[in-house]
Amino acid sequence: MDAASRRDMPLLEVEELSTWFRTRSGDAHAVDGVSFQLRAGETLGLVGESGSGKSVTALSLLGLVPRPAGRIVTGSSVRLRGEELVGADERRLRAVRGGEIAMVFQEPMTSLNPVLTIGRQVEEGIRIHRRLPANEARSEAVRMLERVGIPEPADRIRAYPHQLSGGMRQRVMIAMALACRPSILVADEPTTALDVTVQAQILELLLDLQRELGMAILLITHDLGVVAEVADRVAVMYAGRIVETATVEDLFEAPAHPYTAGLMAAVPDPDRPAQRLTAIPGNVPEPTRWPDGCRFHPRCPHAWERCRGAEPGLLETAAGGRSRCWLIEEPDRRLPTAFSSGTGGEP
Amino acid sequence: MRRAGLLADVLLPGARAALSGRSGGVAVLAAWAFLWALSALRLGRIVATLGGGSADQWLALATLVACLVACPVAALGWLRREPRKASDAPAGPIDWEAFARHRQASIGLVLLAALILVALLTPYLAPFDPNAQHAVVATRFLPPSAAHPLGTDRFGRDVLSRVLYGARISLTIGFVAVAIAMTVGTLVGSGAGLAGGAVDAASMRGVDLLLSFPRLVLLITLVALFEPHLGLVILVLGLTGWMGTARIVRGQVLSIREEDYVQAARALGLGRWRILVRHVLPNALTPVIVAATLGVGNTILAEAALSFLGLGVQPPTASWGNMVASGRDVMLNAWWIAAFPGLAIVLTVMSFNLVGDGLRDALDPRHARGP
């Protein structure tokens, strides 16, 4: 394999990933046939409302679906550099977790163990994956904490999590995740719990580290502003499925799927503060009973009979992205006024 | 000036801190005076130990020397540091300053420390051999006096010496039995909590079953089946006391394994065992420590009850329980035989309970801790 084709080969290929949970009212299809690819060094934003299956997708990549209720359905495939991870043995998965795919969680306040010093927590992964002796692991931890912008890291390694602010803790989480030089970082709402000013700093830090370490980032968020700032490509999830993929520019220029358009309309517009906030009518349906046909049709302003009868595939849009919407085949049916009050909207 | 201060801390440790109004200084100074007085008064026994003594006496000597070294060290280190302000964050997961602000808990801790010290130093402290029967007829039932500060019992044995030796028995039973109970309880509880499902349900129903027996009845049955001796009493007390701990640990493990930091540890590629030992158990331990402290008091009471019924520590070995038992029928004529061991039980159990309460507050992150 020559260098060029290795660069083109996706680092991570997810195909038909389905993760179901057994519940009292039947199987909940939290993730239902999700496919995407992640190339080395790129940032893919995975966007959607709460309950759309973003976080379960992330956990499924690492084989961390809570058992016994949850399971990855046969036929799902997650390949890291061509190596199948679904059904891989626990030993191999443990080496992948933290070593090749690392994760940063949403809540910096609760994602650190309160009874261990931050130094010990950063060291732990280094010692397991890189098998360094204790003193080298310690100096590596100090270096890593310095790199993520913790002041006086040599002293701070003895601090306990409750002695740090939320932003500092998220930096520690990032140091933990990146200490073993993973090739993929899964960031699950990494800035949601932080102040807006701290959010910007953390995103900036992630991008810096990405340039330095050359890792790919899967950024999970419900915040379109964050996606616009840092992502290269975006995948929009709704009801356990990806409904639209596009480059960031195309997506914000012309969202092809009505759900994406609805999300954008729901972002408050500072230029028109007097306006009522626009919301997508209704809620995400129950994952035990997704609607027949297009899963968005009960909430979609454009929906017609075809949407109720059959679910579209991921159809290619004019701009080169993909959208799971019949409007791609029948653009005349698009109503001009739907979600018109927000940004983006109609071409 | 600095050198004078240093000298003062070595010669009279705690004195400067006591003068500036710190109660810790008073405690250190008192301990220092007590230790030197003891060394002077019992010089003969100390010299005898050096010429060849029993294990008990060597332990007492080691304790004496260690404490004599510890006092100046405490004065130079701990007492010199400024007390931390209430608003600062504590340096570790246990908020010792919150504990120190808890007045009753501090008193309990000092009492407890004194008690343990006394138990270790007993071979030097006790005026007589606890089992020595002096002139049986002439010295029996003597009321408290200068020669026998707490009087003598029906065999003419010195009650003070027996109470002091009884402290060793009671504390040993309390600590060892609780250690057994905590170990078994933690193993069963974390096993049940981690396994979940049928294993969890079965073991917790087993715990319910055991808890539904009154403990004393269980103890009496078990002890009655065998020849009672110290080891058996400890074992039986330990094996009847773990169920509460198992429940606490199981509940903690069930909730902690859903915590974000456990999820984060999994995502870092840590193994199950490592996650249990490094991340789950240390966080589950807080209520276990509190339960253990309170458990020591309860166990001492249970041992006293067993000994009172004649099923615990067997005479002539002195335990507080069997001393109270032996004094009960002469209570009106010789109250001191039962009263002083009874008082010792009350003080010991009380100090353990006070420390337990204080620890509960110090370990509770919602208490006295800034955001």
Side-chain angles (χ1 to χ4, degrees):
Chain A
M1 204 190 301
D2 61 300
S5 71
R6 191 176 299 131
R7 196 165 51 241
D8 290 344
M9 188 183 127
L11 189 57
L12 186 76
E13 294 166 277
V14 178
E15 258 170 49
E16 288 301 314
L17 175 67
S18 296
T19 306
W20 295 358
F21 291 87
R22 246 191 304 280
T23 69
R24 249 169 240 168
S25 43
D27 272 346
H29 300 188
V31 175
D32 203 8
V34 162
S35 306
F36 62 87
Q37 298 184 337
L38 193 60
R39 277 180 288 274
E42 81 165 341
T43 302
L44 174 67
L46 193 58
V47 184
E49 281 168 285
S50 323
S52 58
K54 301 166 298 190
S55 294
V56 176
T57 303
L59 291 176
S60 302
L61 300 183
L62 292 167
L64 284 176
V65 179
R67 264 174 294 193
R71 67 180 194 281
I72 297 179
V73 179
T74 24
S76 306
S77 166
V78 175
R79 286 190 303 276
L80 175 68
R81 293 195 192 85
E83 180 195 354
E84 182 60 56
L85 295 183
V86 174
D89 69 351
E90 189 63 21
R91 254 181 97 81
R92 176 63 192 137
L93 282 177
R94 283 217 302 272
V96 169
R97 291 176 199 147
E100 295 180 64
I101 307 179
M103 197 155 170
V104 172
F105 290 89
Q106 173 171 359
E107 273 295 339
M109 307 311 261
T110 56
S111 297
L112 289 168
N113 185 338
V115 305
L116 292 180
T117 60
I118 60 170
R120 281 178 175 268
Q121 298 190 56
V122 178
E123 276 164 43
E124 200 161 36
I126 300 176
R127 292 182 66 174
I128 286 176
H129 292 292
R130 290 166 64 180
R131 300 187 188 286
L132 292 180
N135 56 339
E136 284 177 43
R138 168 133 297 201
S139 48
E140 183 64 23
V142 173
R143 249 173 35 77
M144 209 58 220
L145 287 174
E146 181 166 27
R147 182 61 198 85
V148 296
I150 304 275
E152 296 162 35
D155 293 329
R156 285 300 177 89
I157 53 170
R158 279 187 293 275
Y160 286 89
H162 69 261
Q163 293 169 308
L164 304 179
S165 66
M168 283 296 154
R169 284 190 222 188
Q170 196 59 299
R171 287 173 195 265
V172 173
M173 290 296 299
I174 292 171
M176 277 170 74
L178 300 185
C180 300
R181 305 290 143 80
S183 42
I184 298 173
L185 178 70
V186 179
D188 187 357
E189 306 264 8
T191 58
T192 306
L194 304 173
D195 290 345
V196 183
T197 47
V198 181
Q199 273 188 18
Q201 293 169 4
I202 295 288
L203 290 176
E204 190 61 36
L205 174 67
L206 277 177
L207 289 183
D208 273 357
L209 287 165
Q210 179 179 33
R211 272 191 292 274
E212 191 177 312
L213 306 174
M215 66 195 171
I217 296 182
L218 178 63
L219 179 74
I220 296 173
T221 181
H222 64 269
D223 187 338
L224 286 169
V226 169
V227 168
E229 256 174 85
V230 300
D232 304 313
R233 286 190 306 129
V234 186
V236 181
M237 272 191 88
Y238 181 78
R241 286 195 185 275
I242 288 182
V243 294
E244 177 164 7
T245 59
T247 63
V248 165
E249 293 79 13
D250 292 344
L251 191 87
F252 282 89
E253 181 102 355
H257 198 282
Y259 175 63
T260 316
L263 279 184
M264 288 182 183
V267 176
D269 185 349
D271 296 335
R272 283 187 278 178
Q275 196 106 33
R276 274 182 70 88
L277 289 179
T278 319
I280 305 176
N283 291 311
V284 179
E286 288 293 313
T288 46
R289 283 173 287 122
W290 296 132
D292 290 332
C294 172
R295 290 180 179 177
F296 188 58
H297 86 254
R299 302 173 72 187
C300 181
H302 312 281
W304 70 99
E305 306 78 59
R306 190 177 183 185
C307 306
R308 283 182 269 278
E311 186 182 25
L314 274 170
L315 307 172
E316 186 152 359
T317 62
R322 286 177 175 278
S323 170
R324 198 181 282 281
C325 184
W326 290 126
L327 286 174
I328 306 302
E329 287 187 354
E330 300 182 49
D332 302 341
R333 293 218 178 235
R334 198 180 281 273
L335 305 177
T337 55
F339 302 134
S340 58
S341 58
T343 55
E346 306 307 306
Chain B
M1 189 57 217
R2 253 187 71 83
R3 288 186 54 178
L6 209 70
L7 202 65
D9 276 345
V10 172
L11 290 181
L12 274 181
R16 294 198 306 154
L19 282 178
S20 59
R22 290 186 60 185
S23 51
V26 180
V28 169
L29 191 59
W32 180 253
F34 166 77
L35 291 166
W36 278 113
L38 182 69
S39 308
L41 287 171
R42 299 285 189 240
L43 198 60
R45 289 193 207 176
I46 294 172
V47 172
T49 305
L50 290 172
S54 65
D56 268 4
Q57 286 164 333
W58 280 111
L59 185 64
L61 186 61
T63 310
L64 188 63
V65 172
C67 292
L68 281 174
V69 173
C71 284
V73 169
L76 290 173
W78 165 58
L79 287 178
R80 281 199 171 182
R81 262 195 325 216
E82 284 298 305
R84 185 172 54 78
K85 284 186 210 72
S87 54
D88 293 352
I94 299 182
D95 189 349
W96 287 111
E97 302 279 336
F99 187 91
R101 280 194 299 274
H102 200 302
R103 187 157 291 273
Q104 291 104 314
S106 310
I107 293 172
L109 191 66
V110 169
L111 268 178
L112 207 58
L115 200 71
I116 292 170
L117 197 65
V118 162
L120 287 170
L121 290 173
T122 290
Y124 292 157
L125 271 176
F128 298 102
D129 180 323
N131 297 329
Q133 302 178 7
H134 306 281
V136 172
V137 180
T139 59
R140 67 200 291 239
F141 294 131
L142 287 179
S145 65
H148 298 284
L150 303 185
T152 62
D153 67 3
R154 71 175 68 226
F155 300 111
R157 297 175 298 195
D158 181 49
V159 172
L160 174 60
S161 302
R162 289 181 69 74
V163 168
L164 288 176
Y165 273 93
R168 322 183 99 195
I169 301 287
S170 291
L171 287 177
T172 307
I173 290 177
F175 280 118
V176 178
V178 165
I180 294 173
M182 292 302 136
T183 311
V184 175
T186 305
L187 287 176
V188 173
S190 53
L194 277 191
V199 179
D200 180 28
S203 49
M204 282 305 117
R205 293 303 77 73
V207 165
D208 287 345
L209 193 72
L210 290 174
L211 275 174
S212 64
F213 286 105
R215 188 177 183 195
L216 200 60
V217 176
L218 205 61
L219 284 172
I220 292 171
T221 316
L222 283 172
V223 174
L225 287 177
F226 306 95
E227 190 79 8
H229 63 90
L230 189 58
L232 177 74
V233 171
I234 292 178
L235 197 66
V236 165
L237 282 169
L239 293 183
T240 53
W242 55 269
M243 289 82 82
T245 313
R247 275 193 167 173
I248 295 173
V249 172
R250 178 236 179 206
Q252 289 278 312
V253 168
L254 278 183
S255 75
I256 291 170
R257 68 178 201 167
E258 304 300 327
E259 290 281 344
D260 289 344
Y261 54 83
V262 172
Q263 181 79 292
R266 279 198 203 105
L268 259 186
L270 306 190
R272 278 170 73 97
W273 181 245
R274 204 184 171 90
I275 289 176
L276 175 70
V277 173
R278 290 261 294 177
H279 295 269
V280 177
L281 282 186
N283 283 291
L285 233 45
T286 306
V288 175
I289 293 170
V290 175
T293 319
L294 300 174
V296 174
N298 279 334
T299 307
I300 289 174
L301 275 182
E303 181 273 330
L306 272 187
S307 295
F308 184 83
L309 295 174
L311 293 166
V313 178
Q314 295 301 300
T317 307
S319 101
W320 292 340
N322 68 29
M323 290 175 74
V324 172
S326 76
R328 75 179 187 279
D329 44 5
V330 289
M331 190 79 102
L332 292 178
N333 301 317
W335 55 270
W336 54 89
I337 299 178
F340 289 113
L343 193 65
I345 295 173
V346 170
L347 276 178
T348 308
V349 174
M350 194 185 71
S351 50
F352 272 106
N353 286 354
L354 289 178
V355 171
D357 284 348
L359 272 181
R360 183 160 44 210
D361 291 351
L363 289 165
D364 186 344
R366 285 163 303 191
H367 267 274
R369 209 174 250 200

